[in-house]
Amino acid sequence: MAGWVYLLCRWTARFGAAVMLALALLSVASIIGRALSGLGLGPIPGDFELVETGTALAVFCSLPWCYLMRGHAVVDLFWHGFSPAMQRVLELGSGLLMLLVWLLLTWRLGIGMLDYRASGEVGFILQMPTWWGYAAALPPAAIGCLAYAWRLFESLGLVDPPKLESTQAMGH
Amino acid sequence: MEPLWLAVASFPVLMALIFLRVPIGLSMLSIGLLGSWLVYGDLGPLLNQMKTLAYSQFSTHSLSIIPLFLLMGQFALLGGISGALFKAAEAFIGHWRGGVAMAAIGACAGFGSICGSSLATAATMGQVALPELRRAGYEPGLASGTLAAGGTLGILIPPSIVLVIYAILAEQNIAMLFAAAFVPGLFAAASYMLVVALTVRLRPSAAGVIPALPAAARWRALAQTWSVAVIFITVVGGIYAGLFTPTEGAAVGAISTGVLAWKRGGLDRARLAQALEATASGTAMIFFIVLGAAAYNTFLALSLLPQELAQWVGSLGLSPYAVLWAILLFYLVFGCVMDSLSMILLTIPIFFPLFSALDFGLQPDDAAIWFGILVLIVVEVGLITPPVGMNLFVIRAMAPDIPMAALYRGVLPFVLADLVRIVLLVGFPSIALFATWLSR
């Protein structure tokens, strides 16, 4: 039982980064096509739109794992000066805020998807409906809600965190 | 409360949340949403805005360059490129007094040319060079200070994720910013080497000396690194020359570095999975801050704070340089406690209009690029200043036996070198700008 949320988020994150890798390959193929346009090849049409949609998907897929791995940027300058009780309260408050904000954003993302489906807006080149991108982002956004709820349960002591080796986030 | 004062009051609340260790992105996101709600006075417009908020930020085309550069950095880590770079630099200058530390800085500069992240550069070069430095008899403070400072070359030398963010916020040309960062980046590397040279001259006991290598061995070591040069020239040169867009350049960089890592035997399945996870983590961290900053800056824009502040400062009749120094000083001070990217995302929408209203006798685009490079350098200093210098933590995590105080003392001369560089660049904008003039 323990760890299935982590496993799900981990594979979602791997999938997200793999999408970026695929987009990189796509861009390179497009550049090669453009460079060889004299030979009857050409750039991949709509690569711009695909990169945008794909990046959004990749980011939504990456967020839950980053949170579970405590990868988000924090300032812990004063943290060690707080009492353990205070630390517990802060952790709970922060986790609750995360869950609430993300539930709100996921709900609005869903409404946004319905709006775009109703309006029938499509991308410029590929004629791909805009709501498809939103629809693709919804499952990872929902996984996010699950992950943030799970972390909150962990802080409340309702579930045990699994034993995992941590990966290091490499920011900027 | 009036929107303007609401915005003013939101800042201490935001800072309080951040210091209570609420993730920075989450703090900005919640305060931004709450502030917008209060300004609107009604939930309707806010709920409407939230329908597209996250998706539109995450699908911004120019931001897609960030995960691609992160991927490139991860592949560079796996390819053992850092080791090859260090060995080559050490082969040539390692036998000088302080030479191993200088070689580490040179290797950091080389790694920075294919990696846009300071933490990644500090981490990988630390792993490679720290044991070598200590074996060669370098004082722990000097060794760790060198690597923490050398790590900042990751963002100073293009490609640079911080510059990408600045380019987007200030609506500037990424290619021109990369070009402008190049010479100050090399200058930084040279000044760090000078710091090492001066340190070992003043205190010869700070460093040991290793024997020189025969010429043939030197060229063999150098031959291991040609691929790095090819990738750098292709990516940064290609973007500069307009052969492809910055995002395409990052894609070329990611794929070519991936191929290099694979050919060097560093890319088996487990490591690929690890690289993907680290890329995902880094991507999520940055985009979450981007999302929070977008929400917070929407609130600030609604409150008209940036315009009012720019007008107010204009009405004070201060000299442009006084305002510029005040901004740079703000970054130096805040950089000691804040994460660099969050700081840029939070403040550029406020400071950039303020700066743009000043007259330094430069073309508007030149001024914007100059400001970008200055901001890049001051926030980079924040990575190596205590108490919250991320590079210091990275190095410290690798060598827990080095006391924090020794690390602080070791990095101090490098911070001084940075300050001198800032003064020079304020006095002589052409250090950064001439590369952009060449392309006109």
Side-chain angles (χ1 to χ4, degrees), chain B residues 1-61:
Chain B
M1 208 190 304
E2 249 188 272
L4 183 64
W5 292 110
L6 206 58
V8 173
S10 74
F11 196 69
V13 180
L14 177 65
M15 281 297 139
L17 277 186
I18 289 174
F19 286 133
L20 290 175
R21 204 168 174 251
V22 177
I24 297 174
L26 180 59
S27 307
M28 292 196 278
L29 184 57
S30 1
I31 299 288
L33 293 177
L34 184 68
S36 297
W37 179 22
L38 292 176
V39 174
Y40 288 132
D42 179 15
L43 262 180
L46 178 70
L47 288 178
N48 218 8
Q49 175 195 325
M50 284 171 69
K51 283 193 277 197
T52 52
L53 178 68
Y55 190 86
S56 66
Q57 286 301 317
F58 296 166
S59 65
T60 307
H61 187 264

